[in-house]
Amino acid sequence: MPPIKRKAALACAFLASAGASPAFAQYADGVSGTMEAASEERRRGLSWSDGDPVLRGTLSVPVAEGLSLDGVAVSLWGSDRHGGADAVVDLGATYARQIGGWRLSAEGRYHLFPGSADQAYGEIGAGAAFLIGPASIDFNGSYAPRQSSIGGDNLYLSASATMGLPGTPLTISARIGRSSGDVQDPARAMRLRPDGTYWDYGVGVDYMKDRWFAGLRYADSSIAGPASRHAGASLIARIGLSL
């Protein structure tokens, strides 16, 4: 399929199958969904879309008390970071339990990269969140065991805070994270850690009204020099609709 037609087909597929984030659109049966467009796909301070706009769809389906199956699909349009992949599809499960004021969670994720061979990898994670009035404080950790596709292993630790502004449809947030790990293949390890161990950080504001939402996020990292391409300061906008 020619590149232009392939991109058009991918765009239609993302818009048709867009699903959801648990933060939005809680249905009576527990299934939640959104679709959105964003100016960039950036994770842990790194641009996964080479700075290009993306379409995103996610889906969360509860299967038992506290347990849900989750899927995320994001267009990448030939990402250099991920071997020319046209998209990333994240599949996994999340288990969460409320204990007193704490919400504890555990998850497993497998990341697939359609359009690129030998790029898939998996990781596991855990988190703890605590509500203080209108604010939520979150601590999370994710670990990707040693895999050839990422040139070693990868540990990501992060802390974030989110607060809804009383009387408004606005939510503000801030986060900081640290990536580290062992390296077996330096060239492949640059996918997730282009400058070795590094920090990323950012702040954001989100607007939610009825079924519509929009957001603006500033993201940056400690990565410097040649490795900082698509890892420096960025302002990311998004807009979407809960289904």
Side-chain angles (χ1 to χ4, degrees):
M1 182 182 294
I4 293 178
K5 290 185 178 180
R6 182 179 64 180
K7 290 184 178 182
L10 276 169
C12 291
F14 275 99
L15 288 172
S17 65
S21 165
F24 303 104
Q26 297 297 327
Y27 295 146
D29 60 4
V31 177
S32 56
T34 64
M35 64 180 185
E36 68 176 90
S39 60
E40 183 181 2
E41 176 69 3
R42 183 166 289 233
R43 303 189 186 185
R44 302 175 186 178
L46 304 177
S47 177
W48 280 29
S49 62
D50 300 334
D52 293 332
V54 300
L55 301 174
R56 171 193 290 268
T58 67
L59 182 68
S60 180
V61 181
V63 294
E65 185 176 356
L67 178 65
S68 65
L69 299 180
D70 311 305
V72 179
V74 185
S75 61
L76 297 182
W77 316 124
S79 167
D80 289 340
R81 182 172 301 282
H82 300 296
D86 292 316
V88 55
V89 178
D90 309 314
L91 301 175
T94 301
Y95 177 77
R97 184 176 179 182
Q98 193 75 31
I99 300 179
W102 290 91
R103 182 181 184 274
L104 306 180
S105 62
E107 64 179 25
R109 292 283 181 271
Y110 197 68
H111 309 284
L112 300 168
F113 295 86
S116 182
D118 304 321
Q119 297 290 308
Y121 70 95
E123 60 183 344
I124 56 176
F130 189 78
L131 288 175
I132 305 176
S136 174
I137 310 298
D138 297 72
F139 303 94
N140 293 279
S142 296
Y143 178 67
R146 183 180 301 176
Q147 295 160 82
S148 61
S149 59
I150 57 174
D153 65 0
N154 196 79
L155 174 65
Y156 184 71
L157 301 175
S158 66
S160 62
T162 304
M163 184 177 71
L165 297 181
T168 77
L170 300 177
T171 300
I172 57 174
S173 61
R175 64 181 311 279
I176 187 169
R178 182 179 185 269
S179 295
S180 62
D182 292 327
V183 175
Q184 267 66 50
D185 184 333
R188 285 183 175 267
M190 288 184 68
R191 277 184 72 190
L192 301 185
R193 288 186 290 112
D195 197 28
T197 298
Y198 76 94
W199 294 85
D200 71 275
Y201 45 90
V203 295
V205 58
D206 289 285
Y207 171 90
M208 286 172 277
K209 184 69 171 179
D210 298 325
R211 295 173 58 187
W212 292 93
F213 60 89
L216 195 62
R217 179 165 64 98
Y218 170 83
D220 203 351
S221 75
S222 63
I223 298 173
S228 64
R229 182 173 181 267
H230 298 314
S234 179
L235 193 62
I236 304 155
R238 67 181 188 126
I239 186 170
L241 176 68
S242 58
L243 305 175

